[in-house]
Coordinates of all heavy atoms in Angstrom, one line a residue:
D518 N -18.0 -19.7 2.4 CA -18.6 -20.2 3.5 C -17.6 -20.8 4.6 O -17.8 -20.8 5.7 CB -19.7 -21.2 3.1 CG -20.8 -20.6 2.3 OD1 -21.1 -19.4 2.5 OD2 -21.4 -21.3 1.5
V519 N -16.6 -21.5 3.9 CA -15.7 -22.2 4.8 C -14.7 -21.2 5.5 O -14.5 -21.4 6.7 CB -14.7 -23.1 3.9 CG1 -13.7 -23.7 4.8 CG2 -15.5 -24.2 3.3
M520 N -14.4 -20.1 4.9 CA -13.6 -19.1 5.6 C -14.3 -18.2 6.6 O -13.5 -17.5 7.3 CB -12.9 -18.3 4.4 CG -11.9 -19.0 3.6 SD -10.9 -18.0 2.5 CE -12.1 -17.2 1.6
E521 N -15.5 -18.1 6.5 CA -16.3 -17.3 7.4 C -16.1 -17.7 8.9 O -16.0 -16.9 9.8 CB -17.7 -17.3 7.1 CG -18.0 -16.6 5.8 CD -19.6 -16.6 5.5 OE1 -20.4 -16.9 6.4 OE2 -19.9 -16.3 4.4
G522 N -15.8 -19.0 9.1 CA -15.6 -19.4 10.5 C -14.2 -19.3 11.0 O -13.8 -19.4 12.2
L523 N -13.3 -18.9 10.1 CA -11.9 -18.8 10.5 C -11.5 -17.3 11.0 O -12.1 -16.4 10.6 CB -10.9 -19.0 9.3 CG -10.8 -20.5 8.7 CD1 -10.0 -20.5 7.5 CD2 -10.4 -21.4 9.8
D524 N -10.6 -17.4 12.0 CA -10.2 -16.1 12.5 C -9.3 -15.4 11.5 O -8.7 -16.0 10.8 CB -9.4 -16.4 13.9 CG -9.1 -15.1 14.5 OD1 -9.9 -14.2 14.5 OD2 -8.0 -15.1 15.2
F525 N -9.4 -14.0 11.5 CA -8.6 -13.3 10.5 C -7.2 -13.4 10.6 O -6.5 -13.4 9.7 CB -9.1 -11.8 10.7 CG -8.5 -10.9 9.5 CD1 -8.9 -11.0 8.3 CD2 -7.5 -9.9 9.9 CE1 -8.4 -10.2 7.3 CE2 -7.0 -9.1 8.9 CZ -7.4 -9.2 7.7
S526 N -6.7 -13.6 11.8 CA -5.3 -13.8 12.1 C -4.7 -15.1 11.5 O -3.6 -15.2 11.0 CB -4.9 -13.7 13.6 OG -5.6 -14.6 14.3
I527 N -5.5 -16.1 11.5 CA -5.2 -17.5 10.9 C -5.1 -17.2 9.4 O -4.3 -17.8 8.8 CB -6.2 -18.5 11.3 CG1 -6.1 -18.7 12.7 CG2 -6.0 -19.7 10.5 CD1 -7.1 -19.7 13.4
L528 N -6.0 -16.4 8.8 CA -6.0 -16.1 7.4 C -4.7 -15.5 7.0 O -4.1 -15.7 6.0 CB -7.2 -15.4 7.0 CG -8.6 -16.0 6.9 CD1 -9.6 -15.0 6.5 CD2 -8.5 -17.3 5.9
L529 N -4.3 -14.6 7.8 CA -3.1 -13.8 7.6 C -1.8 -14.7 7.5 O -1.0 -14.7 6.7 CB -2.8 -12.7 8.6 CG -3.7 -11.4 8.5 CD1 -3.5 -10.5 9.7 CD2 -3.2 -10.7 7.2
V530 N -1.8 -15.5 8.6 CA -0.6 -16.4 8.7 C -0.6 -17.5 7.6 O 0.5 -17.8 7.0 CB -0.6 -17.3 10.1 CG1 0.4 -18.2 10.2 CG2 -0.4 -16.2 11.2
V531 N -1.8 -18.1 7.3 CA -1.8 -19.1 6.3 C -1.4 -18.5 4.9 O -0.7 -19.1 4.1 CB -3.2 -19.8 6.2 CG1 -3.4 -20.7 5.0 CG2 -3.3 -20.7 7.5
T532 N -2.0 -17.3 4.6 CA -1.7 -16.6 3.4 C -0.2 -16.3 3.3 O 0.4 -16.4 2.2 CB -2.6 -15.4 3.2 OG1 -4.0 -15.8 3.3 CG2 -2.3 -14.7 1.9
F533 N 0.3 -15.8 4.4 CA 1.8 -15.5 4.3 C 2.6 -16.8 4.0 O 3.5 -16.7 3.2 CB 2.2 -14.9 5.7 CG 3.6 -14.5 5.7 CD1 3.9 -13.2 5.2 CD2 4.7 -15.3 6.2 CE1 5.3 -12.8 5.3 CE2 6.0 -14.9 6.2 CZ 6.3 -13.7 5.7
L534 N 2.3 -17.9 4.7 CA 3.2 -19.1 4.5 C 2.9 -19.7 3.1 O 3.9 -20.0 2.3 CB 2.7 -20.1 5.5 CG 3.1 -19.8 7.0 CD1 2.6 -20.9 7.9 CD2 4.6 -19.7 7.1
I535 N 1.7 -19.7 2.6 CA 1.5 -20.1 1.2 C 2.2 -19.1 0.2 O 2.8 -19.6 -0.8 CB 0.0 -20.3 0.9 CG1 -0.6 -21.4 1.7 CG2 -0.3 -20.5 -0.5 CD1 -2.0 -21.5 1.6
G536 N 2.1 -17.9 0.4 CA 2.7 -16.9 -0.5 C 4.2 -17.0 -0.4 O 4.9 -16.9 -1.5
L537 N 4.8 -17.2 0.7 CA 6.3 -17.5 0.8 C 6.7 -18.6 -0.1 O 7.7 -18.6 -0.7 CB 6.6 -17.6 2.2 CG 8.2 -17.6 2.5 CD1 8.8 -16.4 2.2 CD2 8.3 -18.0 4.0
F538 N 5.9 -19.8 0.1 CA 6.2 -20.9 -0.7 C 6.1 -20.7 -2.1 O 6.9 -21.1 -3.0 CB 5.3 -22.1 -0.3 CG 5.4 -23.3 -1.1 CD1 6.6 -24.1 -1.0 CD2 4.5 -23.6 -2.1 CE1 6.7 -25.2 -1.7 CE2 4.7 -24.7 -2.8 CZ 5.8 -25.7 -2.6
M539 N 5.1 -19.9 -2.6 CA 4.9 -19.6 -4.0 C 6.1 -18.7 -4.5 O 6.5 -19.0 -5.6 CB 3.6 -18.9 -4.2 CG 2.5 -19.9 -4.1 SD 0.8 -19.2 -4.3 CE 0.9 -18.7 -6.1
F540 N 6.5 -17.8 -3.7 CA 7.7 -16.9 -4.1 C 8.9 -17.6 -4.3 O 9.8 -17.2 -5.0 CB 7.8 -15.7 -3.2 CG 6.9 -14.5 -3.6 CD1 6.2 -13.9 -2.6 CD2 7.0 -14.0 -4.8 CE1 5.4 -12.8 -2.9 CE2 6.3 -12.9 -5.1 CZ 5.4 -12.3 -4.1
L541 N 9.0 -18.7 -3.6 CA 10.3 -19.6 -3.7 C 10.2 -20.4 -5.0 O 11.3 -21.0 -5.3 CB 10.4 -20.4 -2.5 CG 10.7 -19.6 -1.1 CD1 10.8 -20.6 0.1 CD2 12.0 -18.8 -1.2
L542 N 9.1 -20.6 -5.5 CA 9.1 -21.4 -6.8 C 9.4 -20.4 -8.0 O 8.7 -19.3 -8.2 CB 7.7 -21.9 -7.1 CG 7.3 -23.0 -6.0 CD1 5.8 -23.2 -6.3 CD2 8.1 -24.1 -6.1
P543 N 10.5 -20.6 -8.8 CA 10.8 -19.6 -9.8 C 9.8 -19.3 -10.9 O 9.7 -18.1 -11.3 CB 12.1 -20.3 -10.5 CG 12.6 -21.2 -9.5 CD 11.4 -21.7 -8.6
P544 N 9.0 -20.2 -11.3 CA 8.0 -19.8 -12.4 C 6.8 -19.0 -11.9 O 6.0 -18.5 -12.7 CB 7.6 -21.1 -13.0 CG 7.8 -22.1 -11.9 CD 8.9 -21.6 -11.1
V545 N 6.6 -18.8 -10.6 CA 5.4 -18.2 -10.1 C 5.7 -16.6 -10.0 O 6.6 -16.3 -9.3 CB 5.0 -18.8 -8.7 CG1 3.8 -18.0 -8.1 CG2 4.7 -20.2 -8.9
P546 N 4.9 -15.9 -10.8 CA 5.1 -14.4 -10.5 C 4.4 -13.9 -9.4 O 3.7 -14.7 -8.7 CB 4.4 -13.9 -11.9 CG 3.4 -14.9 -12.2 CD 4.0 -16.2 -11.8
G547 N 4.6 -12.7 -9.0 CA 4.0 -12.1 -7.7 C 2.6 -11.7 -7.9 O 1.9 -11.6 -7.0
A548 N 2.0 -11.5 -9.1 CA 0.7 -11.0 -9.3 C -0.4 -11.9 -8.7 O -1.4 -11.4 -8.1 CB 0.4 -10.8 -10.7
P549 N -0.3 -13.3 -8.8 CA -1.4 -14.2 -8.3 C -1.3 -14.0 -6.7 O -2.4 -14.0 -6.0 CB -1.0 -15.5 -8.6 CG -0.1 -15.4 -9.8 CD 0.6 -14.0 -9.7
V550 N -0.2 -13.9 -6.1 CA -0.1 -13.7 -4.7 C -0.7 -12.3 -4.3 O -1.5 -12.3 -3.3 CB 1.4 -13.8 -4.1 CG1 1.5 -13.6 -2.7 CG2 2.0 -15.1 -4.7
Y551 N -0.4 -11.3 -4.9 CA -0.9 -10.1 -4.5 C -2.5 -10.0 -4.8 O -3.3 -9.4 -4.0 CB -0.3 -8.9 -5.3 CG 1.2 -8.9 -5.3 CD1 2.0 -8.6 -6.4 CD2 1.8 -9.1 -4.0 CE1 3.4 -8.5 -6.3 CE2 3.2 -9.1 -3.9 CZ 4.1 -8.9 -5.0 OH 5.3 -8.8 -5.0
F552 N -3.0 -10.5 -5.9 CA -4.3 -10.5 -6.2 C -5.1 -11.3 -5.2 O -6.2 -10.9 -4.7 CB -4.6 -11.0 -7.5 CG -6.1 -11.2 -7.9 CD1 -6.8 -10.0 -8.3 CD2 -6.7 -12.4 -7.9 CE1 -8.1 -10.1 -8.5 CE2 -8.0 -12.4 -8.2 CZ -8.8 -11.3 -8.5
F553 N -4.6 -12.5 -4.9 CA -5.3 -13.3 -3.8 C -5.3 -12.6 -2.4 O -6.4 -12.6 -1.8 CB -4.6 -14.7 -3.7 CG -5.2 -15.6 -2.7 CD1 -6.4 -16.3 -2.9 CD2 -4.6 -15.7 -1.4 CE1 -7.0 -17.1 -1.9 CE2 -5.2 -16.5 -0.4 CZ -6.3 -17.2 -0.7
A554 N -4.2 -12.0 -2.0 CA -4.2 -11.4 -0.7 C -5.3 -10.1 -0.8 O -6.0 -9.9 0.2 CB -2.8 -10.8 -0.4
G555 N -5.2 -9.4 -1.9 CA -6.2 -8.3 -1.9 C -7.7 -8.7 -2.0 O -8.5 -8.1 -1.2
A556 N -7.9 -9.7 -2.7 CA -9.3 -10.3 -2.8 C -9.8 -10.8 -1.4 O -10.9 -10.7 -1.0 CB -9.4 -11.2 -3.9
L557 N -8.9 -11.5 -0.8 CA -9.2 -12.2 0.4 C -9.4 -11.2 1.6 O -10.3 -11.2 2.3 CB -8.2 -13.2 0.8 CG -8.4 -14.0 2.2 CD1 -9.7 -14.8 2.1 CD2 -7.2 -14.8 2.5
F558 N -8.4 -10.4 1.8 CA -8.3 -9.6 3.0 C -9.3 -8.4 2.9 O -9.8 -7.9 4.0 CB -7.0 -9.0 3.2 CG -5.9 -10.1 3.6 CD1 -4.7 -9.9 3.2 CD2 -6.4 -11.2 4.3 CE1 -3.7 -10.9 3.4 CE2 -5.4 -12.2 4.6 CZ -4.1 -12.0 4.1
T559 N -9.6 -7.9 1.7 CA -10.7 -6.8 1.7 C -12.0 -7.2 2.0 O -12.9 -6.6 2.5 CB -10.6 -6.1 0.3 OG1 -10.8 -7.1 -0.8 CG2 -9.3 -5.4 0.0
K560 N -12.3 -8.5 1.8 CA -13.6 -9.1 2.0 C -13.7 -9.7 3.4 O -14.7 -9.5 4.1 CB -13.9 -10.2 1.0 CG -15.4 -10.7 1.2 CD -15.8 -11.5 -0.1 CE -17.2 -12.1 0.2 NZ -18.3 -11.1 -0.1
A561 N -12.6 -10.3 3.9 CA -12.6 -10.9 5.3 C -12.2 -10.1 6.4 O -12.4 -10.5 7.6 CB -11.7 -12.1 5.2
C562 N -11.7 -8.9 6.1 CA -11.2 -8.0 7.3 C -12.4 -7.6 8.1 O -13.4 -7.0 7.6 CB -10.5 -6.9 6.7 SG -9.9 -5.7 8.0
P563 N -12.3 -7.7 9.4 CA -13.5 -7.4 10.2 C -13.6 -5.9 10.4 O -14.6 -5.4 11.0 CB -13.1 -8.1 11.6 CG -11.7 -8.3 11.7 CD -11.3 -8.5 10.2
W564 N -12.6 -5.1 10.0 CA -12.7 -3.6 10.2 C -13.1 -3.0 8.9 O -13.2 -1.7 8.9 CB -11.3 -3.2 10.6 CG -10.9 -3.9 11.9 CD1 -11.4 -3.6 13.1 CD2 -9.8 -4.8 12.1 NE1 -10.7 -4.6 14.1 CE2 -9.8 -5.2 13.4 CE3 -9.0 -5.3 11.1 CZ2 -8.8 -6.1 13.8 CZ3 -8.1 -6.2 11.5 CH2 -7.9 -6.6 12.9
G565 N -13.3 -3.7 7.9 CA -13.8 -3.0 6.6 C -12.9 -3.2 5.4 O -11.9 -3.8 5.5
F566 N -13.3 -2.6 4.3 CA -12.6 -2.6 3.1 C -11.2 -2.0 3.2 O -10.2 -2.6 2.8 CB -13.4 -2.1 1.9 CG -12.7 -2.1 0.6 CD1 -12.7 -3.2 -0.1 CD2 -12.0 -1.0 0.2 CE1 -12.0 -3.3 -1.4 CE2 -11.4 -1.0 -1.0 CZ -11.4 -2.2 -1.8
W567 N -11.2 -0.8 3.5 CA -9.9 0.1 3.5 C -8.9 -0.5 4.4 O -7.6 -0.7 4.1 CB -10.1 1.4 3.6 CG -10.8 2.1 2.4 CD1 -12.1 2.5 2.3 CD2 -10.3 2.2 1.0 NE1 -12.5 2.9 1.1 CE2 -11.3 2.7 0.2 CE3 -9.2 1.8 0.5 CZ2 -11.1 2.9 -1.1 CZ3 -8.9 2.1 -0.9 CH2 -9.9 2.6 -1.6
P568 N -9.1 -0.8 5.6 CA -8.2 -1.5 6.5 C -7.7 -2.8 5.9 O -6.5 -3.1 6.0 CB -8.8 -1.6 7.8 CG -9.9 -0.5 7.8 CD -10.4 -0.5 6.5
G569 N -8.6 -3.5 5.3 CA -8.3 -4.8 4.7 C -7.3 -4.6 3.6 O -6.3 -5.4 3.3
A570 N -7.5 -3.5 2.7 CA -6.6 -3.2 1.7 C -5.3 -2.8 2.1 O -4.2 -3.3 1.6 CB -7.3 -2.1 0.9
L571 N -5.2 -2.0 3.2 CA -3.9 -1.7 3.8 C -3.2 -2.8 4.3 O -1.9 -2.9 4.3 CB -4.1 -0.6 4.8 CG -4.5 0.8 4.3 CD1 -4.7 1.7 5.5 CD2 -3.4 1.4 3.4
I572 N -3.9 -3.7 5.1 CA -3.3 -5.0 5.5 C -2.8 -5.8 4.3 O -1.6 -6.4 4.5 CB -4.3 -5.8 6.4 CG1 -4.6 -4.9 7.7 CG2 -3.8 -7.2 6.6 CD1 -5.8 -5.5 8.5
S573 N -3.5 -5.9 3.3 CA -3.0 -6.7 2.1 C -1.8 -6.1 1.5 O -0.9 -6.9 1.2 CB -4.2 -6.8 1.0 OG -3.7 -7.3 -0.1
I574 N -1.8 -4.7 1.4 CA -0.6 -4.1 0.8 C 0.6 -4.4 1.7 O 1.7 -4.7 1.1 CB -0.9 -2.6 0.6 CG1 -1.8 -2.5 -0.6 CG2 0.4 -1.9 0.2 CD1 -2.4 -1.0 -0.7
S575 N 0.4 -4.1 3.0 CA 1.6 -4.3 3.9 C 2.0 -5.7 4.0 O 3.3 -5.9 3.9 CB 1.2 -3.9 5.3 OG 0.7 -2.6 5.3
M576 N 1.2 -6.6 4.1 CA 1.5 -8.1 4.1 C 2.3 -8.5 2.9 O 3.2 -9.2 2.9 CB 0.4 -9.0 4.4 CG 0.8 -10.2 5.0 SD 0.3 -11.8 4.2 CE -0.4 -11.5 2.6
S577 N 1.7 -8.0 1.7 CA 2.3 -8.5 0.4 C 3.8 -7.8 0.3 O 4.6 -8.5 -0.2 CB 1.5 -8.0 -0.8 OG 0.3 -8.6 -0.8
W578 N 3.9 -6.6 0.8 CA 5.3 -6.0 0.7 C 6.3 -6.8 1.6 O 7.4 -7.1 1.2 CB 5.1 -4.5 1.1 CG 6.5 -3.8 1.2 CD1 7.3 -3.4 0.1 CD2 7.2 -3.4 2.4 NE1 8.3 -2.7 0.6 CE2 8.3 -2.8 2.0 CE3 7.0 -3.5 3.7 CZ2 9.2 -2.2 2.8 CZ3 7.8 -3.0 4.6 CH2 9.0 -2.3 4.1
F579 N 5.8 -7.0 2.9 CA 6.6 -7.8 3.8 C 6.9 -9.2 3.3 O 8.0 -9.7 3.5 CB 6.0 -7.7 5.2 CG 6.9 -8.4 6.2 CD1 8.0 -7.8 6.7 CD2 6.5 -9.6 6.7 CE1 8.8 -8.4 7.6 CE2 7.4 -10.3 7.6 CZ 8.5 -9.6 8.1
L580 N 5.9 -9.8 2.7 CA 6.1 -11.1 2.1 C 7.2 -11.2 1.0 O 8.0 -12.0 1.1 CB 4.8 -11.6 1.6 CG 4.7 -12.9 0.8 CD1 5.2 -14.1 1.8 CD2 3.4 -13.2 0.3
K581 N 7.1 -10.2 0.1 CA 8.1 -10.1 -0.9 C 9.6 -9.9 -0.4 O 10.5 -10.6 -0.8 CB 7.8 -9.0 -1.9 CG 8.7 -8.9 -3.1 CD 8.8 -10.1 -3.9 CE 9.6 -9.8 -5.1 NZ 9.7 -11.0 -6.0
L582 N 9.7 -9.0 0.7 CA 11.0 -8.8 1.2 C 11.4 -10.1 2.0 O 12.6 -10.4 1.9 CB 10.9 -7.6 2.2 CG 10.7 -6.3 1.6 CD1 10.7 -5.2 2.7 CD2 11.8 -6.0 0.6
A583 N 10.5 -10.7 2.7 CA 10.9 -12.0 3.4 C 11.3 -13.1 2.5 O 12.3 -13.8 2.7 CB 9.8 -12.4 4.3
A584 N 10.7 -13.1 1.3 CA 11.0 -14.2 0.3 C 12.4 -14.0 -0.4 O 13.2 -14.8 -0.5 CB 9.9 -14.2 -0.7
C585 N 12.7 -12.7 -0.5 CA 14.0 -12.3 -1.2 C 15.1 -12.6 -0.2 O 16.1 -13.1 -0.5 CB 13.9 -10.8 -1.6 SG 13.0 -10.5 -3.1
A586 N 14.9 -12.2 1.1 CA 15.9 -12.4 2.1 C 16.1 -13.9 2.3 O 17.3 -14.4 2.5 CB 15.5 -11.7 3.4
M587 N 15.1 -14.7 2.3 CA 15.1 -16.1 2.4 C 15.9 -16.8 1.3 O 16.7 -17.7 1.4 CB 13.8 -16.8 2.5 CG 13.8 -18.2 3.0 SD 12.0 -18.7 3.3 CE 12.3 -20.4 3.6
Q588 N 15.6 -16.3 0.0 CA 16.3 -16.8 -1.1 C 17.8 -16.5 -1.0 O 18.7 -17.3 -1.4 CB 15.8 -16.2 -2.4 CG 14.3 -16.8 -2.7 CD 13.7 -16.0 -3.8 OE1 14.2 -14.9 -4.2 NE2 12.6 -16.5 -4.3
Q589 N 18.2 -15.3 -0.6 CA 19.5 -14.9 -0.5 C 20.4 -15.6 0.6 O 21.4 -16.1 0.4 CB 19.7 -13.4 -0.3 CG 19.3 -12.7 -1.6 CD 19.4 -11.1 -1.5 OE1 19.8 -10.6 -0.4 NE2 18.9 -10.4 -2.5
K590 N 19.7 -15.7 1.8 CA 20.4 -16.4 2.9 C 20.4 -17.8 2.8 O 21.4 -18.5 3.1 CB 19.8 -15.9 4.1 CG 20.1 -14.3 4.5 CD 21.5 -14.0 4.6 CE 22.0 -14.4 5.9 NZ 23.4 -14.2 6.1
C591 N 19.2 -18.4 2.6 CA 19.0 -19.8 2.8 C 19.6 -20.6 1.5 O 20.0 -21.7 1.5 CB 17.7 -20.2 3.0 SG 17.1 -19.6 4.6
I592 N 19.4 -20.0 0.3 CA 19.8 -20.6 -0.9 C 21.1 -20.1 -1.5 O 22.1 -20.9 -1.6 CB 18.7 -20.5 -2.0 CG1 17.4 -21.1 -1.5 CG2 19.2 -21.0 -3.3 CD1 16.2 -20.8 -2.4
G593 N 21.2 -18.8 -1.6 CA 22.5 -18.2 -2.2 C 23.7 -18.3 -1.4 O 24.8 -18.6 -1.9
E594 N 23.5 -18.1 0.0 CA 24.6 -18.1 0.8 C 25.2 -19.6 1.0 O 26.4 -19.7 1.0 CB 24.4 -17.6 2.2 CG 25.5 -17.4 3.2 CD 25.1 -16.8 4.4 OE1 24.0 -16.5 4.6 OE2 26.1 -16.4 5.2
R595 N 24.3 -20.6 1.0 CA 24.8 -22.0 1.1 C 25.4 -22.4 -0.2 O 26.3 -23.2 -0.1 CB 23.6 -22.9 1.5 CG 23.1 -22.6 2.9 CD 21.9 -23.4 3.1 NE 21.2 -23.0 4.4 CZ 21.4 -23.7 5.6 NH1 22.1 -24.7 5.6 NH2 20.8 -23.3 6.6
L596 N 24.8 -22.1 -1.3 CA 25.4 -22.5 -2.6 C 26.5 -21.6 -3.1 O 27.3 -22.1 -4.0 CB 24.3 -22.6 -3.7 CG 23.3 -23.6 -3.5 CD1 22.2 -23.5 -4.5 CD2 23.8 -25.1 -3.4
G597 N 26.7 -20.4 -2.6 CA 27.7 -19.6 -3.1 C 29.2 -20.0 -2.9 O 30.0 -19.5 -3.6
G598 N 29.4 -20.9 -2.0 CA 30.8 -21.3 -1.8 C 31.2 -22.4 -2.6 O 32.4 -22.7 -2.7
N599 N 30.2 -23.0 -3.4 CA 30.6 -24.2 -4.2 C 31.3 -23.7 -5.4 O 30.8 -22.8 -6.1 CB 29.3 -25.0 -4.6 CG 28.7 -25.6 -3.4 OD1 29.3 -25.9 -2.4 ND2 27.4 -25.9 -3.5
P600 N 32.4 -24.4 -5.8 CA 33.0 -23.9 -7.0 C 32.3 -24.1 -8.3 O 32.4 -23.2 -9.2 CB 34.2 -25.0 -7.1 CG 34.5 -25.5 -5.7 CD 33.0 -25.5 -5.1
W601 N 31.4 -25.1 -8.4 CA 30.7 -25.2 -9.6 C 29.6 -24.1 -9.8 O 29.2 -23.7 -10.9 CB 30.0 -26.5 -9.7 CG 29.0 -26.9 -8.6 CD1 29.3 -27.5 -7.4 CD2 27.6 -26.7 -8.7 NE1 28.2 -27.7 -6.7 CE2 27.2 -27.1 -7.4 CE3 26.7 -26.2 -9.6 CZ2 25.7 -27.1 -7.2 CZ3 25.3 -26.2 -9.3 CH2 25.0 -26.6 -8.1
V602 N 29.0 -23.5 -8.7 CA 28.1 -22.5 -8.7 C 28.9 -21.2 -9.1 O 28.5 -20.5 -9.9 CB 27.4 -22.3 -7.4 CG1 26.6 -21.0 -7.3 CG2 26.6 -23.5 -7.1
Q603 N 30.1 -20.9 -8.5 CA 30.9 -19.8 -8.8 C 31.2 -19.7 -10.3 O 31.2 -18.8 -11.0 CB 32.1 -19.8 -7.9 CG 31.8 -19.4 -6.5 CD 33.1 -19.5 -5.6 OE1 34.1 -19.8 -6.0 NE2 32.9 -19.1 -4.4
Q604 N 31.6 -21.0 -10.8 CA 32.0 -21.1 -12.3 C 30.7 -20.9 -13.1 O 30.9 -20.1 -14.2 CB 32.6 -22.5 -12.5 CG 33.2 -22.6 -13.9 CD 33.9 -23.9 -14.1 OE1 33.7 -24.9 -13.4 NE2 34.7 -24.0 -15.2
A605 N 29.7 -21.4 -12.7 CA 28.4 -21.2 -13.6 C 28.0 -19.7 -13.6 O 27.5 -19.2 -14.6 CB 27.4 -22.1 -13.1
C606 N 28.3 -19.0 -12.5 CA 27.9 -17.6 -12.4 C 28.9 -16.7 -13.1 O 28.7 -15.4 -13.2 CB 27.6 -17.2 -10.9 SG 26.1 -17.9 -10.2
G607 N 30.1 -17.2 -13.3 CA 31.2 -16.3 -13.8 C 31.9 -15.6 -12.9 O 32.4 -14.5 -13.2
V608 N 32.1 -16.0 -11.6 CA 32.7 -15.3 -10.5 C 34.2 -15.3 -10.8 O 35.0 -14.4 -10.6 CB 32.4 -15.9 -9.2 CG1 33.2 -15.2 -8.1 CG2 31.0 -15.7 -8.9
H609 N 34.7 -16.4 -11.5 CA 36.2 -16.5 -11.7 C 36.6 -15.6 -12.9 O 37.8 -15.5 -13.0 CB 36.4 -18.0 -12.1 CG 35.7 -18.5 -13.4 ND1 34.4 -18.6 -13.4 CD2 36.2 -18.8 -14.6 CE1 34.0 -19.0 -14.6 NE2 35.2 -19.2 -15.4
K610 N 35.7 -15.0 -13.7 CA 36.2 -14.1 -14.7 C 36.5 -12.8 -14.2 O 35.8 -12.2 -13.4 CB 35.1 -14.2 -15.8 CG 34.9 -15.5 -16.5 CD 33.9 -15.5 -17.5 CE 33.6 -16.9 -18.1 NZ 32.5 -16.8 -19.1
P611 N 37.5 -12.0 -14.9 CA 37.8 -10.7 -14.4 C 36.7 -9.7 -14.8 O 36.0 -9.9 -15.8 CB 39.1 -10.4 -15.0 CG 39.4 -11.4 -16.1 CD 38.4 -12.6 -15.8

């Protein structure tokens, strides 16, 4: 009942941001994010079930790629220059 008043584009943006946050948490697997997006978008899509399913699949794929890029650029690149991180990863070994 609460989501019926929301615009579909707002649901997309909010789901993307929450999913991105969840992917940045190491213990959270991808299945809950994909299931939530599929269950939400197939029901809330104004164009029907199948367009909602395609939107869910596309957004989930882009969300996973964005989370991986964010982890590599924002976390990995910043910490990669620290000697203690390089030593913990074994970069100094032949």
Side-chain angles (χ1 to χ4, degrees):
D518 294 332
V519 175
M520 292 188 302
E521 289 181 15
L523 292 177
D524 189 35
F525 187 66
S526 59
I527 292 174
L528 289 176
L529 284 171
V530 171
V531 169
T532 303
F533 183 84
L534 293 175
I535 292 173
L537 186 64
F538 175 74
M539 288 180 66
F540 272 128
L541 293 176
L542 298 173
V545 177
V550 177
Y551 304 142
F552 177 76
F553 178 77
L557 177 65
F558 296 146
T559 55
K560 185 160 178 82
C562 183
W564 304 291
F566 176 82
W567 289 111
L571 290 174
I572 290 169
S573 172
I574 292 168
S575 302
M576 199 234 17
S577 296
W578 178 73
F579 184 71
L580 174 62
K581 180 65 176 177
L582 291 178
C585 288
M587 190 172 177
Q588 289 168 348
Q589 290 178 3
K590 292 299 285 180
C591 296
I592 299 171
E594 188 174 6
R595 292 178 189 256
L596 292 177
N599 293 339
W601 61 273
V602 172
Q603 292 177 353
Q604 189 175 17
C606 293
V608 176
H609 63 290
K610 296 180 182 176

